[in-house]
Structure formats: structure tokens, C-alpha cells
Amino acid sequence: MSKFVCQQCGYESVGFLGKCPNCGEWNSLVEMVEETNRRKTKSNRKSNNISSIKPISLSSISSRKTSRLSTKIPELDRVLGGGLVSGQVVLIAGEPGIGKSTLLLEVSEKLGKNVLYVCGEESASQIKVRAERLGIKKTGISLLEDTNADNVIDVISELNDLSAVIIDSIQTMYTGDLSGMAGSVGQVRECTARLLRVCKEKEIPLFLVGHVTKEGTVAGPAVLAHIVDTVLWFEGDKTLTLRLLRAVKNRFGPTDEVGIFDMQDKGLVSVNDTEHMFVKTGLPANRRVPGSIVTSILQGTRPLLVEIQALVVPTKMAFPKRVAQGIDSRRLELLLAVLIRRCGLPLYDYDVFVNCAGGMKITEPGADLAIILAIASAYYDLPANATHNALQAGKPSNIIAIGEVGLLGEIREVMAQEKRMKEARRLGFTQIISSKEYHFVGEVIKKLLK
Ligand code: TYD
Ligand code: MG
């Protein structure tokens, strides 16, 4: 009989019941490995033999051990904090089909020699098809089609000079010591712990692919996040090509970095020149259309320029429509209320559509001013810089709006405003609208659109 432990109250029971007999919590029982006699005697012997366990001095550890190994994928290195640390365990989590296997196959190629790729989800020949698509020909990648974690550990122990181990995915791994199904919390936790132990001992970086449940958490919930060194979240809209890699937890680097990739026919491409990614209107540079404003949002420590587009049309319904893409719809409602009350725009009679071009999702208030200006520009049917002197002289200046908008209609300073403005100037935006020159939204609208 297997032994279960309740994660809520710590009650130990034999056999799976679904509900804890002690505290009554459902699904809180997690299967534990029963200590065999062999293990018990081994650990007893170890604990008695104190002379073999000694603390080591921090200064005696050579810095070579902490030097970083570059993955040669610039955006991945950026998120990892400069590269892999030996023995680092990285969990890459994301929805199915987002590109986790593609990213890790590219990592295996770039790392060069001796990478062990454990394919629990696909057959070796399916991996081969993907490798061909990615243009990977001669590499040191070895494929292992096995889902038994103990077999994989034996293989890792036998192989020397491995530069990385990749487990695709941890939910397919199981150990015979537990009776639960592969993918259950107990199995995921135990397999991760065992793989982690062998890789830490041999100082090999370990990548784990983790699936995301419907609720948006890594299956085998917080359990995995606690065990591993780094959790990277791979996300994006599957219908678009933009993919973001975010560090959610990182023991060896920052957690506010974001890696940006473009999913192309031949795999994931690191995007360095982000300015061309989100601000390409497809229009000639000197054409200005109503309803479009560029803003700067902060992704990690990087300011990114994105274009906000708006469309305002008279409504035929009793309730006007408000449609937001890439922008929180409640934030849009709030900004519309500011426009109606503080700037006198009768938007209660109009449907409003707002879109953040390029598939980026805005989660910070730094884009408020741009959203408001895009809507006002669409309402007046005037490009934002229509009355600007430079435009009349035939040379339109590039406008960018950065700022949070409060309920009083005031423009507030945003985080890292100087950094965003510097980046905007570098990319040729000559007119920056922010809390520096204007105090209220009404003033900006008057100046630019009336
Ligand atoms: P995959 O890496 O299999 O996703 P995951 O492991 O996260 O489930 O990627 C699957 C998607 O990526 C699939 O819809 C096809 C697309 N893709 C490309 O667009 N270009 C490519 O070069 C590859 C290999 C995949
Ligand atoms: Mg996959």
C-alpha cells in the first residue's frame, strides 16, 4: 500500500482516499516514497559518520564554478541573467504549442557538444523532423526515448562530459517507486527531485519543460517552482508570431527581464531591434492617420515602443460597445470616463475600439496617455500632430506619448520615465508628450487636436 501525506494538515494515511480523513480537505493527499530498509540504514550510517560531513568556507570555492555558460541565444541569456550556471535547473513553462520544444532544441544545438534530450512526448523521429525544419544538421544531441526517470538518471550518471540535459516534459516522467500516474503531483515532484540531485552532483545544467494547467499554473503547482532554480514563463498569442520569455523566479539573476522572440518558419529568432517589431504601420513615414499614437512601455528593464490604435464610430445600440485588444478593458472604461467628464467628449454615443498593435499586452498605466490621445484623435478624425507647425511646413515630427492618467484628468509621471524618453529620442521621436510639459489631458488635446 502506498503512503499519502496531507499537504494541509500533515496527516499520514495509507491508500488514496481523495479526501483527507483528518481535516476533510479534498485532493490534498500527496503520495510519498516509503523508506526502504536499505535507505534507512544508509542514512543512519551517514548521520553517524559525522567526520565525512564538513562545511566548506565560502572563499575557498573557486569562481570558475560560478562562471556562466552562454546559450548563444541572446534573448535567453538576457532572461537567465547572462547565461547558465553549472548545475542550474531551469523550468520552462507554457501552454501547449507555444514553442517550448522548439526553443530547447535550438538551445541543444547552440550548446554544441553532448546534450542529452529526453523526449517523453514525441518520438525521436518527430524530433528529427523538427530539427530538419530548424536547419539543424550535425550536432552532438543524443535523443533518449524513455519516460522512466530512474532509467534517465542511470544514463546521465554513465555519460561523461554532458553539457546539458533536457527533459521534455517533466509531466511524462514517472518513477516505479510511486504508484501514481505520470503527471500527478507526487510523481512530478519526486522525478524532479531525483533528476535535480544527479544533475547538481555532476554540475550539468538541467532544463525541464512544464505544462500549464487550464488555471494557468504549472501542473504540480508551486511544488516545482520551489525545487528548481529558475522558472521561465513562455507566453504569447498563438495566432501571432510574437513570443515572450519571462523570468518568474531566478536564483541566479533578475526576475524582471523579458526575452522577445519571433516564431518564424525556421524556428524562434531573437528580436533585438524591438523598434521595428511593434511600430510598423505599413504607411509612408510622412503620412499621418487619425487614431494612432506611439507610446513606450516597460518590459523588464527595457522600454519598448508600441503603437496604440483607436477607432470611434457612432453607436446604433442602446449600449455603446467598448472593445480592447492588448489593453485591460476596465482600464479602457476608466479612461473613457475621464475623456467624457474631464474633456467633454460625448463618447457615450460612440462605439470605441482600441488595439495595441503587434500582439503586445499592456499591463502598466504608462500607456494611458497614448490610449486617451488615440481615442481623441479618432473622435476628432485628426492625426495627433495635424496642427503642429512642423507638419504645416511639410515635415511632420514624430509624436510619442508617455504618462499615466489619473481620475482628475491629470498626467502623472511613470516609472523610469527618463529612460523611456531617452530611448524614444534615440529612435527619432522629436516630440515627447509627458507630465513634463503638460499637467492635464485636456491641455494636450487642445494643443494637438483642436
Ligand atoms: P512546439 O515547440 O512543439 O511547442 P510546445 O513544445 O510548446 O508544445 O511548437 C509548436 C508550434 O510552433 C507549432 O504550432 C508550429 C510552430 N513552429 C513554427 O512556427 N516554426 C518552427 O520552426 C517550428 C519548429 C514550429
Ligand atoms: Mg513540446
Side-chain angles (χ1 to χ4, degrees):
M1 269 296 214
S2 313
K3 204 168 91 184
F4 289 83
V5 171
C6 175
Q7 291 210 306
Q8 289 286 330
C9 66
Y11 180 81
E12 290 187 11
S13 70
V14 177
F16 188 68
L17 302 160
K19 185 175 167 184
C20 172
N22 185 37
C23 66
E25 181 77 18
W26 280 94
N27 301 327
S28 66
L29 296 173
V30 172
E31 191 179 12
M32 305 297 283
V33 178
E34 282 202 58
E35 289 226 334
T36 60
N37 285 339
R38 189 178 59 82
R39 278 209 189 93
K40 269 184 194 154
T41 47
K42 202 173 168 189
S43 64
N44 282 348
R45 195 188 61 228
K46 259 194 179 171
S47 59
N48 290 338
N49 189 5
I50 293 186
S51 60
S52 67
I53 309 165
K54 271 193 191 139
I56 47 166
S57 140
L58 179 61
S59 51
S60 70
I61 303 168
S62 73
S63 55
R64 186 196 60 80
K65 283 194 174 171
T66 55
S67 67
R68 289 178 187 265
L69 170 70
S70 168
T71 60
K72 301 198 188 75
I73 299 180
E75 293 297 295
L76 180 60
D77 276 353
R78 172 196 282 272
V79 178
L80 287 171
L84 289 164
V85 174
S86 68
Q88 182 170 8
V89 181
V90 183
L91 171 70
I92 298 197
E95 284 178 30
I98 205 75
K100 301 180 293 295
S101 307
T102 309
L103 177 68
L104 287 180
L105 201 55
E106 287 182 18
V107 171
S108 330
E109 188 211 5
K110 294 277 164 50
L111 283 177
K113 57 179 174 51
N114 285 343
V115 175
L116 181 67
Y117 193 110
V118 182
C119 35
E121 301 214 322
E122 292 144 318
S123 67
S125 47
Q126 281 170 319
I127 303 272
K128 174 75 185 166
V129 173
R130 180 177 292 128
E132 275 170 2
R133 186 170 172 181
L134 298 177
I136 298 174
K137 288 188 190 92
K138 245 174 71 185
T139 58
I141 306 173
S142 320
L143 297 175
L144 182 63
E145 273 183 86
D146 203 336
T147 52
N148 186 327
D150 299 313
N151 292 350
V152 173
I153 289 166
D154 288 344
V155 173
I156 297 173
S157 318
E158 277 164 25
L159 289 174
N160 284 325
D161 289 342
L162 274 180
S163 57
V165 175
I166 290 165
I167 309 284
D168 190 359
S169 67
I170 191 65
Q171 272 91 8
T172 57
M173 292 287 134
Y174 75 95
T175 164
D177 294 343
L178 296 181
S179 64
M181 254 171 41
S184 65
V185 177
Q187 287 282 11
V188 167
R189 184 167 74 174
E190 188 59 29
C191 292
T192 308
R194 288 182 186 192
L195 287 162
L196 180 142
R197 211 172 302 141
V198 67
C199 287
K200 289 259 182 222
E201 258 168 35
K202 298 195 79 178
E203 300 188 344
I204 310 166
L206 169 67
F207 285 95
L208 303 170
V209 169
H211 285 290
V212 168
T213 60
K214 270 195 225 113
E215 293 80 37
T217 49
V218 187
V223 177
L224 268 189
H226 283 302
I227 307 176
V228 301
D229 298 317
T230 306
V231 181
L232 304 182
W233 207 266
F234 205 28
E235 59 188 22
D237 189 336
K238 267 189 270 175
T239 54
L240 301 170
T241 59
L242 173 72
R243 298 284 183 272
L244 298 179
L245 190 66
R246 266 177 221 284
V248 181
K249 167 189 172 176
N250 197 353
R251 283 191 184 141
F252 308 119
T255 49
D256 57 357
E257 264 320 338
V258 176
I260 302 175
F261 295 92
D262 192 16
M263 177 65 104
Q264 298 182 355
D265 301 348
K266 290 208 155 61
L268 288 159
V269 178
S270 290
V271 180
N272 296 325
D273 55 341
T274 48
E275 62 264 33
H276 301 303
M277 184 95 182
F278 307 106
V279 202
K280 46 185 175 198
T281 57
L283 293 169
N286 56 359
R287 271 283 302 280
R288 287 285 169 268
V289 280
S292 156
I293 293 273
V294 175
T295 188
S296 171
I297 56 169
L298 213 59
Q299 283 291 309
T301 53
R302 252 196 307 193
L304 287 187
L305 298 194
V306 292
E307 186 192 349
I308 307 285
Q309 296 180 335
L311 191 62
V312 174
V313 285
T315 186
K316 293 264 186 300
M317 313 275 194
F319 293 101
K321 264 193 237 167
R322 273 82 176 91
V323 181
Q325 226 170 43
I327 294 157
D328 180 27
S329 54
R330 274 190 293 180
R331 191 86 204 158
L332 175 63
E333 292 279 357
L334 186 147
L335 296 174
L336 286 175
V338 170
L339 272 171
I340 294 170
R341 189 71 182 88
R342 306 281 171 202
C343 309
L345 266 62
L347 291 169
Y348 36 77
D349 284 335
Y350 292 83
D351 291 337
V352 177
F353 304 87
V354 182
N355 177 28
C356 176
M360 187 57 96
K361 280 196 176 63
I362 300 179
T363 49
E364 57 145 342
D368 285 357
L369 186 58
I371 297 171
I372 281 212
L373 289 182
I375 296 169
S377 155
Y379 171 77
Y380 288 116
D381 208 18
L382 281 174
N385 52 359
T387 57
H388 192 259
N389 297 342
L391 182 71
Q392 282 154 5
K395 276 192 227 146
S397 63
N398 276 322
I399 278 196
I400 183 166
I402 304 167
E404 180 181 345
V405 174
L407 290 182
L408 312 177
E410 84 278 24
I411 302 171
R412 306 166 73 108
E413 192 177 330
V414 292
M415 219 168 66
Q417 184 155 311
E418 263 315 310
K419 194 172 180 181
R420 299 189 209 210
M421 288 166 80
K422 212 168 126 194
E423 176 75 358
R425 266 186 228 113
R426 186 179 76 78
L427 298 172
F429 286 85
T430 46
Q431 202 185 352
I432 302 174
I433 301 167
S434 69
S435 59
K436 278 203 159 169
E437 297 89 39
Y438 301 94
H439 298 296
F440 288 95
V441 179
E443 292 171 30
V444 188
I445 294 179
K446 221 179 213 167
K447 175 94 192 294
L448 296 177
L449 296 165
K450 284 189 185 168

